[in-house]
């Protein structure tokens, strides 16, 4: 198990290095540059030159790359050009918000997916399962930003149940936890609905598959109730593929949450990525890309470890 | 890792999609799925291409007095915040979306196939290098890469085609590579090699027809992916630039005005995106089921 984790970590390190190299050079090779974003399009060449000197952008590309990588190895992510704050602090703040959004959405959608998947698996081939499948299909093909916009249109503008966006009310000087939670509801539900659509079908299919297996018949034959078989045996086995999916879904749901964060003006990582991409704030972009890459790798690793715990056979592969 | 035994088109997208849509194929049957998809696709495409014949209004003409007008007999889907006909903009936006997404899908298709064959049939070191590059690209969701690159360029339509095409091939490339590796030990490949057939010849004449079904349904899925990606980018203001219309852009305009409840600026554009994605997925799944049944 430990050997497997180590090999995976080392190969992930190489993958991430390649990724971050590509991103670094692409960002620096494009015309324009951060000087224009900071000084405006009408900046004089002298001012641009001066600022570039100050930001260290006049050094050769390789030198910048080596420097940046060296700092990265020492845990330093540099300063945002535009916001004049340490990237680590900036990313850290947004990371907390994204994690809050993301963790609640994952929790919500996995719980929902298990409940829906169970119903679907049990009623497989009859109308409840078919109805659920139709809904799953609709939500799967529905773009996140459309769902988010509809939520705002109906739940906040028309029926005024939830705020339209942001993370806390501006009018309240000291927004409490309740206010934050109220702002979280719509983004969380939007992210979760799409996650649920994908996960529940997958889970339902594996429940259906497990129910047809010999051990279920044996268990029922020896007198166990259906409920006991379902929760003690089937659930455990059907959960395995779901865990893999959740691990793999990590970065994809994150990508979806970029759109959600933009729709709801929610100050998370995706929102930060979007803002800094618009102003070519290289240090911030590189840091976020690296971070998402790491999350992907960790998501995969997480899936493998949990699978190893659920099924001992996995540990020796 | 569990689950790697079933080759998937994409780490998660593919597996979930196959799961959901194979369920649809189960209920509708192969023919039903294909028919449903084709009907939807025909509707969407003819709306975009034939729309201008029925809706003569210009998508750019500004009706000053009629700004922000709900649907009526004069403006079938209402007008936007500066008085442009929403229906005309929906049609024009659809045309632009298709004109960018389909070439982008074709580009991704070609790059992915060539890359996959190079990795699968080339020397082992090339395979190793290419697969590492592939892993690196796949470590990031395509949308993140797209946002990143699109923001560097503020792309034109042509650049958008390149951008979308060049960020969405890795899934297909991995699939083609796996297929090529699975097929390269077959007798007919050895026979061709004995007769002096080069690698390119083998790939083109012998392997391509064998893996054609896999390519075709993944190519169909690619179109849907491109429509979604392009709409997302335009929604973020990084894709098709105003005043040119696009479905994502229309949605964005609706969202900006959301406080005054402009449902006619939001719902039609979203439904069009939804329908086109559903259509391509149904067709792809239909083809997949048909090829599986044929085997």
């Amino acid at each position: 198990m430990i050997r497997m984790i180590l090999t995976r970590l080392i190969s992930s390190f190489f993958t991430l290095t390649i990724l971050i190299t590509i991103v670094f050079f692409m960002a620096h090779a494009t015309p324009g540059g951060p000087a224009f974003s900071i000084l405006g399009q009408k900046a004089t060449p002298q001012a641009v030159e001066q600022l570039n000197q100050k930001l260290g952008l006049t050094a050769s590309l390789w030198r910048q790359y080596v420097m940046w990588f060296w700092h990265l190895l020492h845990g330093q992510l540099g300063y945002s050009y535009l916001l004049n704050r340490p990237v680590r602090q900036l990313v850290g703040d947004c990371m907390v918000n994204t994690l809050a959004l993301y963790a609640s959405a994952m929790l919500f959608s996995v719980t929902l997916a298990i409940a829906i998947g169970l119903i679907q698996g049990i009623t497989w081939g009859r109308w409840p399962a078919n109805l659920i499948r139709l809904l799953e299909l609709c939500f799967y093909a529905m773009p996140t930003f459309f769902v988010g916009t509809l939520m705002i249109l109906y739940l906040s503008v028309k029926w005024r149940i939830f705020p339209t966006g942001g993370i806390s009310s501006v009018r309240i000087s000291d927004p409490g936890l309740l206010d934050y939670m109220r702002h979280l509801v719509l983004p969380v539900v939007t992210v979760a609905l799409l996650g649920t659509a994908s996960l529940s079908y997958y889970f339902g299919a594996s429940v259906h598959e497990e129910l047809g297996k010999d051990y279920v018949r044996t268990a029922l034959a020896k007198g166990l109730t259906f409920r006991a078989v379902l929760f003690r045996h089937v659930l455990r086995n059907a959960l395995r593929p779901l865990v893999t999916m959740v691990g793999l879904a990590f970065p994809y749901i994150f990508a979806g949450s970029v759109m959600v964060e933009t729709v709801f003006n929610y100050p998370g990582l995706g929102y930060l990525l979007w803002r800094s991409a618009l102003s070519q704030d290289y240090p911030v972009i590189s840091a976020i890309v690296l971070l998402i890459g790491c999350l992907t790798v960790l998501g995969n690793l997480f899936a493998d470890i949990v699978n190893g715990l659920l099924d001992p056979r996995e540990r020796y592969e | 890792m569990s689950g790697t035994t079933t080759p998937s088109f994409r780490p998660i997208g593919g597996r979930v999609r196959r799961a959901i849509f194979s369920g649809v194929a189960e209920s509708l049957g192969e023919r039903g799925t294909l028919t449903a998809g084709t009907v939807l696709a025909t509707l969407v495409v003819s709306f975009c291409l034939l729309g201008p014949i029925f809706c003569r209004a210009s998508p750019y003409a500004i009706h000053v007095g009629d700004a922000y007008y709900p649907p009526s007999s004069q403006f079938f889907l209402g007008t936007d915040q500066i008085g442009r006909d929403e229906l005309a903009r929906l049609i024009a936006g659809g045309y632009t979306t298709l004109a960018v997404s389909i070439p982008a899908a074709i580009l991704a298709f070609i790059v992915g196939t060539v890359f996959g064959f190079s990795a699968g049939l080339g020397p082992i070191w090339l395979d190793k290098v290419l697969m590492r590059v592939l892993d690196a690209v796949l470590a990031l969701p395509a949308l993140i890469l797209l946002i990143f690159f699109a923001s560097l360029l503020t792309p034109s339509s042509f650049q958008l085609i390149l951008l979308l095409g060049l960020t969405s091939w890795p899934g297909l490339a991995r699939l083609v590579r796996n297929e090529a590796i699975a097929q390269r030990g077959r007798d007919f490949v050895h026979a061709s090699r004995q007769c002096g057939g080069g690698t390119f010849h083998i790939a083109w004449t012998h392997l391509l027809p064998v893996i054609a079904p896999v390519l075709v349904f993944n190519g169909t899925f690619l179109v849907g992916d491109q429509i979604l990606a392009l709409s997302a980018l335009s929604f973020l203001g990084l894709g098709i630039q105003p005043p040119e219309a696009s479905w994502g852009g229309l949605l964005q305009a609706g969202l900006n005005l959301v406080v005054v409840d402009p449902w006619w600026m939001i719902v039609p554009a979203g439904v069009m995106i939804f329908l086109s994605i559903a259509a391509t997925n149904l067709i792809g799944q239909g083809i997949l089921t048909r090829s599986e049944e044929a085997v």
Side-chain angles (χ1 to χ4, degrees):
Chain A
M1 184 89 173
I2 290 172
R3 218 186 117 168
M4 180 197 90
I5 296 175
L6 275 181
T7 6
R8 290 289 307 277
L9 273 181
I10 292 169
S11 90
S12 320
F13 175 75
F14 282 112
T15 309
L16 285 177
T17 312
I18 296 177
L19 174 73
I20 200 68
T21 309
I22 298 173
V23 166
F24 182 89
F25 283 101
M26 286 305 290
H28 284 70
T30 45
F36 279 104
S37 322
I38 298 170
L39 298 170
Q41 289 298 326
K42 287 182 182 159
T44 58
Q46 288 89 348
V48 171
E49 180 68 21
Q50 226 168 28
L51 190 66
N52 278 342
Q53 203 106 46
K54 202 177 126 211
L55 296 175
L57 290 170
T58 42
S60 75
L61 214 52
W62 276 106
R63 217 185 138 74
Q64 285 183 46
Y65 175 66
V66 172
M67 286 280 285
W68 179 79
F69 208 91
W70 184 248
H71 285 308
L72 189 70
L73 289 178
H74 290 77
Q76 282 172 348
L77 294 167
Y79 278 81
S80 156
Y81 295 152
L82 208 65
L83 301 166
N84 234 335
R85 283 174 62 194
V87 173
R88 200 198 295 188
Q89 192 192 351
L90 206 61
V91 170
D93 286 355
C94 293
M95 180 83 174
V96 174
N97 294 340
T98 295
L99 278 183
L101 167 65
Y102 192 83
S104 0
M106 281 307 259
L107 199 68
F108 187 48
S109 73
V110 169
T111 321
L112 207 60
I114 290 179
I116 296 176
L118 272 180
I119 299 176
Q120 196 178 11
I122 296 169
T123 60
W124 197 266
R126 279 174 284 147
W127 69 265
N130 288 336
L131 179 71
I132 292 173
R133 178 182 294 158
L134 190 68
L135 289 176
E136 282 162 349
L137 178 71
C138 286
F139 276 104
Y140 179 78
M142 200 91 107
T144 339
F145 46 97
F146 181 42
V147 177
T149 311
L150 281 183
M151 293 253 181
I152 296 182
L153 182 63
Y154 286 98
L155 294 178
S156 4
V157 175
K158 276 201 170 161
W159 301 330
R160 300 184 181 278
I161 304 174
F162 296 107
T164 48
I167 193 167
S168 59
S169 302
V170 194
R171 267 173 285 165
I172 309 171
S173 58
D174 181 29
L177 188 64
L178 203 69
D179 190 50
Y180 282 117
M181 302 229 317
R182 256 170 58 85
H183 282 81
L184 256 180
V185 173
L186 286 190
V188 164
V189 170
T190 311
V191 177
L193 272 183
L194 292 127
T196 311
S198 317
L199 294 176
S200 65
Y201 184 84
Y202 203 72
F203 183 64
S206 56
V207 167
H208 167 68
E209 196 185 313
E210 292 295 327
L211 279 175
K213 287 192 176 163
D214 285 345
Y215 73 86
V216 174
R217 200 175 43 191
T218 314
L220 287 175
K222 79 172 185 184
L224 280 182
T225 58
F226 181 68
R227 182 185 300 233
V229 177
L230 190 67
F231 287 105
R232 213 171 300 158
H233 300 290
V234 172
L235 193 62
R236 188 186 161 109
N237 286 326
L239 272 179
R240 266 187 356 94
L242 186 73
V243 170
T244 313
M245 289 295 298
V246 171
L248 291 177
F250 219 70
Y252 287 85
I253 297 183
F254 182 86
S257 71
V258 173
M259 299 304 294
V260 174
E261 284 176 3
T262 335
V263 171
F264 291 98
N265 279 320
Y266 185 86
L269 270 185
Y271 189 71
L272 181 67
L273 174 71
W274 181 52
R275 301 298 320 175
S276 38
L278 283 176
S279 47
Q280 288 169 313
D281 203 343
Y282 304 147
V284 184
I285 302 174
S286 311
I288 296 178
V289 168
L290 189 65
L291 195 69
I292 299 174
C294 288
L295 280 181
T296 315
V297 169
L298 288 179
N300 286 337
L301 200 60
F302 165 81
D304 284 356
I305 293 173
V306 177
N307 266 327
L309 294 177
L310 282 176
D311 184 352
R313 283 172 301 182
E314 293 279 330
R315 289 174 212 166
Y316 301 102
E317 270 181 23
Chain B
M1 204 177 97
S2 79
T4 34
T5 39
T6 45
S8 62
F9 158 66
R10 193 170 273 196
I12 164 170
R15 213 180 299 171
V16 173
R17 170 154 49 201
R18 283 198 56 171
I20 293 186
F21 285 90
S22 64
V24 176
E26 222 172 83
S27 345
L28 288 179
E30 157 243 317
R31 188 165 290 219
T33 315
L34 214 53
T35 317
T38 318
V39 168
L40 268 188
T42 317
L43 280 177
V44 171
V45 171
S46 47
F47 174 78
C48 300
L49 296 186
L50 305 178
I53 300 174
F54 301 103
C55 172
R56 293 297 180 88
S58 153
Y60 303 107
I62 296 170
H63 307 273
V64 182
D66 295 323
Y68 186 68
Y69 212 73
S72 62
S73 54
Q74 190 191 354
F75 303 108
F76 208 62
L77 282 178
T79 55
D80 68 358
Q81 71 278 15
I82 54 172
R84 289 175 297 194
D85 189 333
E86 272 290 312
L87 180 60
R89 288 189 71 72
L90 196 66
I91 294 168
Y95 181 78
T96 329
T97 304
L98 293 186
V100 171
S101 310
I102 293 174
I106 294 172
L107 178 64
F109 186 76
I110 294 171
V111 174
T113 312
V114 170
F115 193 98
F117 272 129
S118 314
L121 299 178
I124 290 175
W125 64 266
L126 185 66
D127 183 35
K128 286 231 163 27
V129 171
L130 291 183
M131 287 325 279
R132 280 282 141 242
V133 175
L134 207 63
D135 279 344
V137 184
L138 279 173
L140 274 189
L143 185 67
I144 305 280
L145 274 183
L146 270 177
I147 293 177
F148 171 59
F149 288 130
S151 63
L152 297 178
L153 296 168
T154 328
S156 63
S157 292
F158 178 67
Q159 282 169 327
L160 269 177
I161 295 177
L162 289 183
L163 204 61
L164 287 166
L166 294 180
T167 45
S168 53
W169 53 268
L172 186 68
R174 166 165 294 176
L175 196 87
V176 171
R177 173 213 176 239
N178 291 345
E179 287 286 325
I181 286 180
Q183 301 288 343
R184 72 179 173 196
R186 299 271 295 268
D187 285 345
F188 64 88
V189 177
H190 287 308
S192 176
R193 218 177 267 286
Q194 292 295 318
C195 298
T199 306
F200 178 78
H201 169 80
I202 291 176
W204 183 256
T205 5
H206 299 300
L207 291 183
L208 206 56
V210 176
I211 66 171
V214 179
L215 285 177
V216 171
F217 72 75
N218 278 294
T220 324
F221 288 148
L222 265 180
V223 177
D225 290 352
Q226 305 291 20
I227 293 177
L228 178 63
L230 179 65
S231 304
L233 268 190
S234 307
F235 181 80
L236 291 175
L238 296 167
I240 292 166
Q241 299 296 320
E244 210 170 332
S246 65
W247 289 338
L250 291 179
L251 256 178
Q252 170 70 50
L255 178 63
N256 285 338
L257 281 174
V258 76
V259 280
V260 288
D261 182 20
W263 63 267
W264 62 92
M265 291 175 68
I266 292 171
V267 177
V271 168
M272 288 310 288
I273 302 176
F274 165 71
L275 286 183
S276 35
I277 295 172
T280 52
N281 279 293
L282 286 172
I283 295 180
Q285 183 60 46
I287 298 173
L288 175 64
T289 317
R290 172 170 289 190
S291 70
E292 273 171 357
E293 276 169 9
V295 171

